[in-house]
Each structure stands twice: as structure tokens, then as C-alpha cells.
């Protein structure tokens, strides 16, 4: 693997919720003890189901929210320890593309305003012709510069989100389900654009998705999350999964080929509430291989292995 | 015996805008027809038309007909159509939250369907509800029946909506993107459940989706919709093995898979046109790699191909 650009160590995030008039506040760990790294030029994929903590991890990595524990190091600098002004300078080199292209762009802004904003935040003059160049880089005509986000299709809006993320020429981009709300035809366009930008600009990505098929197509290594924790890291896209949860994700991914229909064995149980995690493995209630040991004791992730798996009975 | 649901060259408009043009589809008894296309291609409108719900959105049929079990829906009274919906035709929407009443307990919402459409007593209806929830693999059905919608996960809510669609003992279920909002593991469960309903109970299913891999997994036939017209229709085997229409081929090619060469996933250039800007000739021609002068000038002929048909000037003629 190439030298790590981002190092994430034992990162945790606790959220308090409820605590209304009658309910007592309850706490949950949205991200639990996550350790990983992203190499220079690498595309690291993160997959998992809704609510497993992917977006929380994304926001922690860029320190858009404060971690409860652990640290994040970017190119040798611990960003979880930086002062606000130093963090703001560091943010030039890191960017994020958000999950929802509908709500992440201010409807009152024109595209030119949206793309000028990162410069304003950094107190920097906007280079001449930069807006047009940024639009061109993501395959949008310069004529759109005066338009508002609601005048664009979902795919065009996500292109604007990507252009905004790249405005200050970052080294590292967190992509939080950038295609989840798009048609597969438009998703494929956006993925091709991201691959091209990575190659041309030497970018590193943390690519978040709930689609294992997509991640296996686009990413170099794959991190699988379940209820806030990493359960497996696939060292490449060809390696077979060893965690039963990853296996279940794989089997849920249908092939566009009626000759390869899957025999679906639906997972039996429900996902446990993140507010009341079981004492053992968080996946045990849905796992076909679970034993008493799994229900009693949480399996550890062997972080040093080339193919880490957190499971007592891996495949 | 006639087909269960038949759209016969159906055209639909809202105001002056023609949205669907000559849609011809057939759902046979005990079969699953997949209706697939990008968003805006007209899938939901087709579903609304099939249920006789166009007036709800200010739409109307301008040509052709919808036949359910041999009967022309336009010739029925509104009361008859209403009895059909929720009774012999069950409906499952994309967003379970819009189908569920947030201030009514789950069980009561399912009960009401069989009381209304099957005339069951309160106790009979509840027994039927619990039976359905159990069949849909909902654990602790009695507890869930007493729960409120917000207490359930998305996948659980979608199963409740399916239970409601089944409660009236339907012959046909129309499911409009029933799994689009769900996680893949939950999607797999729902597709599994829907597939079993058809095989075990002989229900027919019109399954609307934008995902060709869902079609491949569970459908018998597929109709590919583009800009308000059927581009290609037929049994899934031959269509996936050798799609004749370039749009069908492109939709299949958009599904990312492990082992695909990097860079092979390019998508379909451009976007679905809106009804105000449908191009002349073949509506797909601005995005089509095979487009010729003929495609720009005149609508494509509808050619039969095996047990299906394709609307294209240059269909692939591979085996
Ligand atoms: N600000 C917050 N306060 C309280 N709980 C939160 C907050 N943000 C997230 N959570 C909870 O943390 C968990 C993880 O949420 P997160 O948004 O990271 O999930 P996700 O994996 O991105 O899901 P999705 O695929 O739906 O986007 C969820 O249970 C969520 O409800
Ligand atoms: N109530 C409506 N009024 C006007 N146009 C509509 C309405 N509903 C749908 N349309 C238009 O009809 C076309 C098909 O829409 P729809 O059936 O919802 O597509 P799909 O379900 O395939 O995404 C789109 O161009 C859409 O804008
Ligand atoms: S008719 Fe022409 S433009 Fe239309 S799909 Fe066929 S080849 Fe392409
Ligand atoms: Mg998220
Ligand atoms: Mg729709």
C-alpha cells in the first residue's frame, strides 16, 4: 500500500438523543473504535446499511464534528488537535461531497456563487475564469453559471457539488454516497467523472456507499461497517469476504442477469437498536453462524492483518 | 382466458402535455412483469393509469384502454373502480410513510382493508392481519400490530404496506419502486417475499423499478420505458442475453459489478427529456450511439422479436 495520507485511530462518536419533556436522554455510539488509513491516490470504500455511521465517520474525518475519542492525522498533522484557524487552513486540502445534492446547495445561490464560496471562506480572491474552468472540469457548460440549483437535474447538481469540493484543489475528498439519489445511468456518469478527476488531479478518496457492487467496482480497498464498527476490511476487490455480514451484503446484490438469480436466504432477525447494543457481536441476532460465544463476547478486529475480520467464525 | 391486466396502446395526457404514447403491456396471471426505466420515463404514470387513478393528478386517457380481467376500466363506474383498488388490485408505493397513517396503530390499518373489501368481522380481520404479518416474516406479529408506524424500521414498514396490499386478497399487485428507499439486505428480503407471493398464491405482479438487476432477479417479462414509450418488451431471458434496443443494453450496462474492467462503466450520456421537449423521431436518439438520420426523422417501427417486440430503427440482430 502507498504511504497513508489519512490515518484514523480509535475514532469514536457518542450522540445523546431524546431527553424531551418526558423521555430520559439516551446515548448511543454512532462510531465505535474505528481505525483505518487512506493511502495517497487510494480510493478507500466504506459500505454498510443505513444508520451504521458512515456519514458520521465522514464528518469526523474532516472534523466537521468533534470526536468523543480517538484522532485523525492528515499528512502527518493531527487535525483533531488543531486550533480553529489552523484547521481552516488545513481544510483547503480536504473536501466533502454530500449525500443529497438537493439539500446541500443553497437554493438562493447561483452556480457561480456556489463555486466562489470556498474562496470566500478562505479569504482568497477568486481567480479569473475559475468558475468556467470548474464547470468544464465536471462536464457542465459555462452557460449554466448564472442558474440556480433548482434549475438543474439531480446529476447536474451532484456535478456542481463535486466542482465545489474541488475548488481549492484539495488532496483528499470524502464522498458521502454521492450517487445514492441518482438513476443508475447518471450514477455511472458521475463515477466515470470521479475516476477521471482522481487520475488527472492525483486525488485520494474516502468513498462511502451502501452499494457493495458499486464499491467493488470503484474502490481499491473496502471497509465494511456494521452498527458503528468496522467488521471487515477487504484488501482488494477480488478477495472473497470472510465476515458473514459482508457475505450477506454480497448475496443481497443481484446480478443483472436472469441466468444468475440468487437463492435469497433472508437474514432472519432485525438490526438491534443502536441505543441497546447486545453484549456480544452486534451482528449475532441476524447471523446464520452465530454461537453462544458470539452472543456473549464482542469479537475483536485484528487491525494488523492484511485482511482484518471481526468474527469468531469467519468464512 | 384473457390476460389479467392489459394496457392497450394507452396514451395519457395532463392538460395539453402528452406524457404516455401508445403504451402496450400485458400482465399474465401468476406472472411478474417488470416495468423499468430512468426516473421521469413514465413508470408511475403508467401505474396510476392502470389503477384508474389518473383523475387524482389531473390526467386523462387520450387513446387506448386499460382492461382488468377482460373488463374495460373506462366502462366501470367509479364505485366499481374503487372496489377494485385495495380489493382485487393491491398497491405498494415507494415511500411506506405516505401509505401509512402515522396516528393509527399498525394492526388497525391492515384490519380495515379486509373488513372493507372482504366483509370480515373485527376478530376475523385481526386474525387475518396477524397471519399475513407472520407470512411476511414479521417477528412478534401481535406486538407489531399494536405499534405505531414511527416505531418500525423502513423495511418493516414496507412489509406492513405489502400486508395491506395483500389483505384484500388481490389478484394483482402493483408495486411502484417498493425497494428503492431500502437497504440492499432489506431489498433482498422484500423481493424474496414478493416473488414467493406470486409463486405460492398465484398473485400477479407489476413491479416498477429503475434497477435492471431487480428485474433480472425476479421478473418473468420486462417492459423498458423511455420518454413515455415502450422501447422494448419481452421475456427476461432473451432480453438480458441479447438486448435489441440500445437503451435496454445501456441500462443493463450501468449496473456496477465486481470484476468489471475499470472505466467500463460510462453511463448513458445526457438525461431523460421532459414531456415538453420530447425530440422528434426516436425520442432516445440524442443519447443513442446508433442514431442515424432515420432515427432523427421518424419514430421507430415496432418490430416483433421472438416473444417480444422492440421499437428501434437499428435493433441489434444478434442471436
Ligand atoms: N447529530 C446526531 N444526534 C444524534 N444521533 C445522531 C446524529 N447524527 C447521527 N446520529 C445517529 O447516528 C447513527 C449513524 O448515523 P449516520 O448518519 O452516520 O448513518 P449513515 O451510515 O450515514 O446512514 P445512511 O446510509 O442512512 O446515510 C444513526 O443511528 C443516527 O440516528
Ligand atoms: N402530476 C403531474 N403533472 C405534470 N407532469 C407530471 C405529473 N406526474 C408526472 N409528470 C411527468 O410525467 C413524466 C413521467 O413521470 P413519472 O411517471 O412520475 O416517471 P417515473 O415514475 O418513471 O419516474 C415526467 O416527465 C413527469 O414530469
Ligand atoms: S431508433 Fe435509432 S436513435 Fe432510437 S434507439 Fe434505435 S438506433 Fe437509437
Ligand atoms: Mg449517511
Ligand atoms: Mg416513479
Amino acid at each position: 500500500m502507498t504511504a497513508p495520507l489519512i490515518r484514523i485511530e480509535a475514532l469514536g462518536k457518542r450522540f445523546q438523543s431524546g431527553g424531551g419533556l418526558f423521555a430520559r436522554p439516551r446515548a448511543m455510539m454512532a462510531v465505535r473504535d474505528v481505525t483505518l488509513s487512506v493511502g495517497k491516490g487510494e480510493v478507500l470504500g466504506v459500505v454498510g446499511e443505513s444508520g451504521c455511521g458512515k456519514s458520521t465517520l465522514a464528518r469526523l474525518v474532516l472534523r466537521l464534528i468533534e470526536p468523543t475519542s480517538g484522532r485523525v492525522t492528515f499528512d502527518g498533522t493531527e487535525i483533531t488537535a488543531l486550533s480553529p484557524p489552523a484547521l481552516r487552513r488545513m481544510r483547503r486540502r480536504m473536501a466533502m461531497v454530500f449525500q443529497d445534492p438537493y439539500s446541500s446547495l443553497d437554493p438562493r445561490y447561483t452556480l457561480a456563487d456556489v463555486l466562489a464560496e470556498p474562496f470566500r471562506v478562505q479569504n482568497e480572491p477568486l481567480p479569473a475564469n475559475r468558475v468556467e474552468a470548474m464547470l468544464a472540469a465536471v462536464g457542465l457548460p459555462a452557460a449554466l453559471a448564472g442558474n440556480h440549483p433548482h434549475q438543474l437535474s439531480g446529476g447536474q447538481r451532484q456535478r456542481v457539488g463535486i466542482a465545489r469540493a474541488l475548488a481549492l484543489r484539495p488532496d483528499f475528498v470524502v464522498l458521502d454516497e454521492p450517487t445514492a439519489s441518482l438513476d443508475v445511468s447518471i450514477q455511472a456518469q458521475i463515477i466515470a467523472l470521479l475516476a477521471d478527476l482522481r487520475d488527472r488531479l492525483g486525488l485520494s478518496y474516502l468513498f462511502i456507499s451502501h452499494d457493495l457492487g458499486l464499491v467493488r467496482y470503484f474502490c481499491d480497498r473496502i471497509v465494511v461497517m456494521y452498527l458503528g464498527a468496522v467488521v471487515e476490511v477487504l484488501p482488494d476487490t477480488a478477495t472473497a469476504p470472510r465476515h458473514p455480514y459482508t457475505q450477506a451484503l454480497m448475496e443481497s446484490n443481484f446480478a443483472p442477469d436472469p441466468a444468475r438469480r440468487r437463492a435469497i436466504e433472508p437474514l432472519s432477525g432485525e438490526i438491534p437498536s443502536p441505543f441497546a447494543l447486545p453484549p456480544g457481536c452486534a451482528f449475532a441476532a441476524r447471523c446464520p453462524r452465530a454461537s453462544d460465544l458470539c452472543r456473549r463476547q464482542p469479537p475483536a478486529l485484528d487491525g494488523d492483518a492484511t485482511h482484518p475480520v471481526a468474527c469468531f467464525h469467519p468464512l | 382466458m384473457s390476460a389479467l391486466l392489459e394496457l392497450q396502446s394507452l396514451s395519457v395526457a395532463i392538460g395539453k402535455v402528452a406524457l404516455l404514447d401508445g403504451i402496450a403491456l400485458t400482465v399474465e396471471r401468476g406472472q411478474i412483469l417488470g416495468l423499468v426505466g430512468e426516473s421521469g420515463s413514465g413508470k408511475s404514470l403508467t401505474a396510476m393509469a392502470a389503477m384508474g387513478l389518473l383523475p387524482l393528478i389531473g390526467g386523462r386517457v387520450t387513446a387506448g384502454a386499460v382492461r382488468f380481467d377482460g373488463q374495460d376500466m373506462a366502462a366501470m363506474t367509479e364505485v366499481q373502480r374503487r372496489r377494485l383498488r385495495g380489493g382485487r388490485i393491491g398497491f405498494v408505493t415507494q415511500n411506506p410513510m405516505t401509505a401509512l397513517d402515522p396516528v393509527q396503530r399498525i394492526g388497525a390499518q391492515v384490519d380495515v382493508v379486509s373488513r372493507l373489501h372482504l366483509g370480515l368481522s373485527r376478530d376475523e380481520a385481526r386474525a387475518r392481519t396477524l397471519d399475513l404479518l407472520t407470512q411476511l416474516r414479521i417477528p412478534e406479529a401481535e406486538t407489531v400490530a399494536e405499534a405505531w408506524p414511527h416505531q418500525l424500521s423502513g423495511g418493516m414498514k414496507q412489509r406492513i404496506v405489502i400486508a395491506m396490499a395483500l389483505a384484500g386478497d388481490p389478484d394483482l399487485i402493483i408495486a411502484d419502486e417498493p425497494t428503492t428507499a431500502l437497504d440492499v439486505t432489506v431489498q433482498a428480503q422484500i423481493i424474496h417475499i414478493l416473488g414467493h407471493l406470486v409463486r405460492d398464491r398465484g398473485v400477479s405482479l407489476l413491479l416498477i423499478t429503475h434497477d435492471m438487476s431487480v428485474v433480472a432477479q425476479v421478473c418473468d417479462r420486462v417492459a423498458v420505458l423511455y420518454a413515455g414509450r415502450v422501447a422494448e418488451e419481452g421475456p427476461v431471458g432473451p432480453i438480458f442475453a441479447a438486448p435489441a434496443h440500445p437503451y435496454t443494453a445501456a441500462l443493463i450496462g450501468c449496473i456496477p459489478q465486481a470484476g468489471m474492467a475499470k472505466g467500463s462503466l460510462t453511463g448513458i450520456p445526457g438525461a431523460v427529456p421532459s414531456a415538453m421537449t420530447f425530440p422528434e423521431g426516436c425520442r432516445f436518439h440524442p443519447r443513442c450511439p446508433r442514431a442515424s438520420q432515420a432515427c432523427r426523422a421518424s419514430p421507430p417501427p415496432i418490430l416483433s422479436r421472438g416473444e417480444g417486440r422492440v421499437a428501434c430503427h437499428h435493433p441489434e440482430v444478434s442471436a
Side-chain angles (χ1 to χ4, degrees):
Chain A
M1 197 182 72
T2 48
L5 181 65
I6 290 270
R7 203 189 285 278
I8 296 162
E9 289 165 279
L11 204 57
K13 180 67 186 178
R14 186 170 178 273
F15 282 121
Q16 202 108 303
S17 95
L21 205 44
F22 304 106
R24 254 188 301 144
R26 301 188 299 169
M28 55 94 73
M29 292 298 291
V31 167
R32 296 185 285 140
D33 194 22
V34 169
T35 295
L36 25 111
S37 59
V38 185
K40 282 206 172 81
E42 187 179 35
V43 181
L44 181 70
V46 177
V47 275
E49 288 169 288
S50 181
C52 76
K54 304 181 296 294
S55 295
T56 304
L57 177 67
R59 288 181 290 154
L60 286 172
V61 170
L62 297 184
R63 211 179 141 193
L64 300 174
I65 53 175
E66 296 296 327
T68 310
S69 56
R71 52 187 184 163
V72 179
T73 310
F74 177 80
D75 205 9
T77 306
E78 191 188 328
I79 61 169
T80 34
L82 290 178
S83 67
L87 179 63
R88 187 159 51 88
R89 282 194 297 278
M90 196 55 125
R91 284 248 173 83
R92 294 187 53 104
R93 300 186 56 196
M94 309 181 294
M96 176 137 164
V97 176
F98 292 91
Q99 188 161 352
D100 182 4
Y102 294 87
S103 62
S104 66
L105 300 176
D106 191 321
R108 292 164 304 175
Y109 283 14
T110 64
L111 300 200
D113 297 333
V114 167
L115 297 178
E117 195 195 358
F119 295 91
R120 209 167 37 241
V121 169
Q122 293 287 343
N123 283 320
E124 270 181 41
L126 176 70
N129 301 327
R130 192 56 172 276
V131 167
E132 293 71 22
M134 288 183 331
L135 288 172
V138 295
L140 292 174
L144 286 182
N147 283 36
H148 290 268
H150 67 85
Q151 296 169 303
L152 306 182
S153 69
Q156 288 176 323
R157 256 179 279 211
Q158 203 50 292
R159 285 175 192 266
V160 174
I162 293 167
R164 178 180 58 182
L166 298 180
L168 298 169
R169 309 239 160 99
D171 302 306
F172 174 63
V173 184
V174 175
L175 301 148
D176 186 4
E177 306 215 41
T179 62
S181 57
L182 305 176
D183 268 309
V184 282
S185 53
I186 310 300
Q187 161 171 286
Q189 291 177 9
I190 297 290
I191 294 299
L193 171 68
L194 289 171
D196 177 55
L197 291 168
R198 192 251 337 245
D199 294 344
R200 281 197 287 132
L201 307 175
L203 297 167
S204 309
Y205 292 148
L206 184 70
F207 181 84
I208 293 172
S209 173
H210 62 266
D211 181 347
L212 188 57
L214 178 60
V215 163
R216 293 221 297 163
Y217 168 76
F218 185 54
C219 301
D220 300 316
R221 281 188 307 141
I222 299 163
V223 173
V224 183
M225 282 180 78
Y226 190 74
L227 279 171
V230 174
V231 297
E232 179 163 18
V233 182
L234 294 167
D236 54 59
T237 54
T239 300
R242 298 199 62 213
H243 198 286
Y245 176 61
T246 313
Q247 173 76 9
L249 281 182
M250 203 93 97
E251 280 171 0
S252 303
N253 218 278
F254 304 140
D257 179 358
R260 288 194 288 145
R261 287 192 174 168
R262 297 216 187 268
I264 307 170
E265 278 187 44
L267 291 171
S268 43
E270 285 281 313
I271 306 183
S273 160
F275 292 97
L277 285 185
C281 170
F283 185 58
R286 299 167 82 193
C287 182
R289 304 169 81 87
S291 66
D292 278 344
L293 175 63
C294 310
R295 282 180 276 270
R296 247 187 357 253
Q297 192 179 317
L301 184 78
D302 177 2
D304 291 329
T306 50
H307 182 171
V309 188
C311 177
F312 291 118
H313 311 292
L315 293 125
Chain B
M1 197 160 49
S2 60
L4 187 59
L5 176 71
E6 213 175 336
L7 306 194
Q8 298 173 319
S9 302
L10 188 74
S11 297
V12 164
I14 296 181
K16 287 202 174 87
V17 187
L19 295 170
L20 300 181
D21 178 17
I23 304 288
L25 297 177
T26 304
V27 184
E28 299 288 347
R29 285 158 215 274
Q31 281 212 335
I32 308 182
L33 174 70
L35 182 60
V36 71
E38 291 163 281
S39 53
S41 55
K43 304 182 296 295
S44 296
L45 274 175
T46 304
M48 298 292 270
M51 291 183 293
L53 282 176
L54 287 174
L56 213 64
I57 53 167
R60 64 187 194 286
V61 172
T62 52
V66 178
R67 287 179 173 275
F68 181 78
D69 202 2
Q71 280 181 284
D72 186 350
M73 294 264 273
M76 296 179 197
T77 64
E78 183 48 32
V79 173
Q80 286 173 314
R81 278 194 295 264
R82 208 174 302 147
R83 201 169 299 142
L84 220 48
R85 293 191 292 266
R88 294 188 64 196
I89 304 179
F91 184 52
V92 179
T93 51
Q94 171 168 349
N95 183 353
M97 258 346 246
T98 60
L100 294 174
D101 180 352
V103 296
Q104 221 191 111
R105 290 183 201 272
I106 293 294
Q109 301 194 42
V110 185
D111 293 350
V112 74
V113 179
S114 55
R115 295 186 64 189
L116 197 67
H117 288 280
L118 304 181
L120 299 191
S121 71
R122 191 180 290 268
D123 289 350
E124 289 166 339
R126 178 49 59 96
R128 180 174 174 78
T129 295
L130 295 178
D131 186 40
L132 282 171
L133 297 191
T134 310
Q135 282 180 43
L136 294 174
R137 293 168 148 269
I138 291 175
E140 300 180 49
E142 290 184 29
T143 316
V144 170
E146 291 307 316
W148 304 97
H150 76 265
Q151 294 175 308
L152 305 183
S153 69
M156 197 80 108
K157 278 189 282 236
Q158 193 57 293
R159 274 181 275 181
I160 301 298
V161 176
I162 293 175
M164 284 167 69
L166 286 174
D169 199 17
D171 299 316
L172 172 70
I173 294 178
I174 297 179
D176 190 355
E177 308 222 28
T179 60
T180 300
L182 304 175
D183 276 312
V184 284
T185 53
V186 185
Q187 160 166 302
Q189 289 184 8
I190 300 284
I191 293 298
H192 178 75
I193 288 166
L194 288 173
H196 268 275
L197 288 174
V198 173
R199 315 286 170 229
D200 301 348
R201 302 169 64 132
V203 179
S204 306
L205 177 62
L206 176 62
L207 179 62
I208 297 177
T209 172
H210 63 264
D211 186 344
M212 274 297 207
S213 51
V214 169
V215 173
Q217 170 71 22
V218 76
C219 295
D220 300 301
R221 292 177 78 92
V222 58
V224 180
L225 210 57
Y226 186 78
R229 289 179 181 160
V230 175
E232 183 165 14
E233 192 275 333
V236 290
I239 285 192
F240 279 83
H245 199 287
Y247 184 57
T248 313
L251 280 181
I252 297 169
C254 283
I255 310 283
Q257 291 183 87
M260 254 183 172
K262 299 259 182 221
S264 58
L265 197 68
T266 53
I268 310 175
V272 178
S274 81
M276 322 284 205
T277 60
F278 281 152
E280 289 295 302
C282 171
R283 291 175 179 172
F284 187 57
H285 85 251
R287 307 174 73 189
C288 181
R290 291 182 216 157
S292 67
Q293 189 48 43
C295 307
R296 287 182 279 273
S298 57
I302 296 171
L303 308 167
S304 77
R305 192 170 172 276
E307 289 173 47
R309 65 214 145 84
V310 58
C312 179
H313 287 290
H314 307 293
E316 201 91 276
V317 280
S318 57

